[in-house]
Amino acid sequence: MSLSSSTVIPKLFRECSPEIIFEILSEDSLDARHLRPFLDTVMSEGAIGISASYRRHCQLGAIAFSSPTRVLVVQLASGDLSLGSNCSKRNRVIRARSLLERQILCNANYQKYAFQMDRIAVALYLDMALRIDSAIDMLSVSPSDDRRSPQALMNAMGGESTLHQSNVKALFFSNQSRPASNSDLVQQAWAACQASILPHMAVRFHALRRIRTNIIPDEHMSALSKICRDGELLDSLKPLSVKNDVMPDITVKMDNLKLTCSRYPTRIRLSAQQSLQIETRKGVQVSGRAIHVKGREARIKIRGSFHGDEVKSVRTIGGIHPVVTSAFQSRMAPK
């Protein structure tokens, strides 16, 4: 794949919407000539934003590196490089990966920022045999317990007041069932870079421990990475829509609905990532969100009206994820 250049204007931060130049290339064509123009735009603070997209089975498909003005997207070769007879391509890929590791990933002069740096660190190791140093998991700065929630992301990006919230949610939380487009990948990497240099956030990120997989012994890294990837694979098998078995005694008051689930496994849960779809006997559908849950009982704020109709069914829309913390949060050496 030859090098191509395009531009995009991320409209994520209220006070910053510059035109970003981005280039896309395959890893077997990457060399120092491509890295030099990008690294020349990295600020004196050495902040580089990183984002990644994933193929089936949670394998890394592409990785993006961002400065405040420029993004480099590297698309990974598919298939097992140890198989086949294309030795020339395999050697080019090996050289390119070594260059990335030496010039960016394990270059301690650059601080690498990503919103899910733990997942990226695992993918780099398992899918590219690469390590990383001086890496910051930005979601670890959020006080929110649910790292996967929009609230945790916006906390890590500087707070709701600094953002175009609807654009942020659309970029990071829409179409999660498919790999991110190149444009999305670019904007996500740039968002990480931009958030890292906000004055009120830089101090908070500075206090976080760094992810340094380059100092973890192979046997420990292999075990940790396998555990993390297996968890991802199991998570990806969970349904995106679940019917909630509810009891008939449902109370509706204004824009609130109170109900009890008949089965604990299909109970309604509090989650910023999930919404509820309520259907009435007459086929009217309204959306809602759980605002209070206790055991099998739930109170739901609805958007719309039943017009006096009875509730026929309630369905949870969105992945059902456990509360998670960074895989490396308690395993890294001090910065």
Side-chain angles (χ1 to χ4, degrees):
M1 181 185 296
S2 60
L3 191 67
S4 60
S5 179
S6 303
T7 61
V8 65
I9 301 178
K11 296 182 178 179
L12 305 173
F13 295 87
R14 294 186 182 276
E15 296 184 2
C16 185
S17 297
E19 183 176 73
I20 306 302
I21 299 172
F22 67 92
E23 297 167 327
I24 304 167
L25 70 159
S26 58
E27 61 174 338
D28 62 308
S29 64
L30 174 69
D31 60 33
R33 294 172 301 170
H34 304 128
L35 287 184
R36 195 172 301 113
F38 165 72
L39 292 176
D40 285 345
T41 65
V42 177
M43 297 176 63
S44 58
E45 295 89 343
I48 294 178
I50 300 181
S51 65
S53 67
Y54 301 86
R55 301 187 179 112
R56 291 184 59 190
H57 308 303
C58 302
Q59 291 183 323
L60 195 63
I63 187 165
F65 303 94
S66 178
S67 73
T69 59
R70 196 178 189 97
V71 178
L72 181 66
V73 179
V74 180
Q75 296 185 331
L76 273 61
S78 59
D80 190 341
L81 292 174
S82 65
L83 302 177
S85 58
N86 195 338
C87 294
S88 176
K89 180 177 180 178
R90 182 168 64 251
N91 289 335
R92 291 197 305 271
V93 168
I94 291 172
R95 286 196 296 269
R97 292 181 179 181
S98 176
L99 183 67
L100 276 178
E101 187 173 61
R102 186 173 64 255
Q103 294 289 327
I104 296 180
L105 296 173
C106 286
N107 187 336
N109 292 322
Y110 298 123
Q111 302 295 303
K112 278 72 69 172
Y113 294 83
F115 295 113
Q116 291 189 357
M117 185 61 84
D118 53 341
R119 186 184 187 191
I120 290 174
V122 165
L124 286 170
Y125 178 80
L126 289 177
D127 304 327
M128 298 180 72
L130 298 180
R131 304 296 189 110
I132 194 168
D133 189 14
S134 303
I136 296 95
D137 176 68
M138 302 174 75
L139 293 179
S140 296
V141 81
S142 175
S144 173
D145 290 332
D146 187 354
R147 286 169 49 86
R148 299 180 181 180
S149 69
Q151 186 61 55
L153 175 68
M154 288 188 285
N155 289 339
M157 289 180 67
E160 296 178 5
S161 62
T162 68
L163 304 168
H164 296 292
Q165 296 181 41
S166 60
N167 294 347
V168 171
K169 291 178 181 178
L171 175 63
F172 286 93
F173 294 95
S174 296
N175 302 313
Q176 295 184 75
S177 60
R178 63 167 178 79
S181 67
N182 287 325
S183 176
D184 288 352
L185 200 59
V186 166
Q187 294 182 73
Q188 290 171 0
W190 177 82
C193 181
Q194 179 61 27
S196 74
I197 60 177
L198 293 175
H200 70 288
M201 295 301 297
V203 176
R204 299 177 64 188
F205 290 130
H206 181 74
L208 296 178
R209 301 177 75 180
R210 274 36 179 173
I211 291 176
R212 303 176 64 194
T213 62
N214 59 323
I215 66 171
I216 301 178
D218 286 340
E219 60 270 24
H220 296 167
M221 192 65 197
S222 295
L224 178 58
S225 297
K226 185 178 186 305
I227 291 170
C228 293
R229 178 60 61 82
D230 287 348
E232 284 184 60
L233 289 169
L234 287 173
D235 215 29
S236 69
L237 297 176
K238 294 179 180 179
L240 295 178
S241 175
V242 173
K243 182 180 179 181
N244 305 103
D245 299 315
V246 298
M247 300 179 70
D249 52 337
I250 298 172
T251 304
V252 180
K253 291 184 178 179
M254 300 293 288
D255 59 350
N256 275 240
L257 182 152
K258 186 176 181 180
L259 55 79
T260 302
C261 292
S262 57
R263 298 176 59 243
Y264 193 77
T266 64
R267 70 193 184 281
I268 293 169
R269 309 184 191 196
L270 283 174
S271 173
Q273 289 181 281
Q274 296 175 336
S275 62
L276 298 168
Q277 185 181 75
I278 301 112
E279 183 176 357
T280 71
R281 297 288 180 186
K282 294 180 180 179
V284 176
Q285 292 186 350
V286 297
S287 61
R289 188 172 299 278
I291 56 176
H292 179 76
V293 173
K294 184 178 181 181
R296 293 184 292 119
E297 297 181 351
R299 189 165 76 249
I300 301 165
K301 185 177 181 62
I302 57 175
R303 294 185 288 272
S305 174
F306 295 147
H307 303 294
D309 199 0
E310 294 182 2
V311 174
K312 175 184 177 183
S313 65
V314 178
R315 183 172 290 274
T316 296
I317 308 296
I320 301 176
H321 302 298
V323 173
V324 293
T325 57
S326 169
F328 294 98
Q329 210 166 40
S330 60
R331 297 173 175 85
M332 295 296 98
K335 60 181 181 178

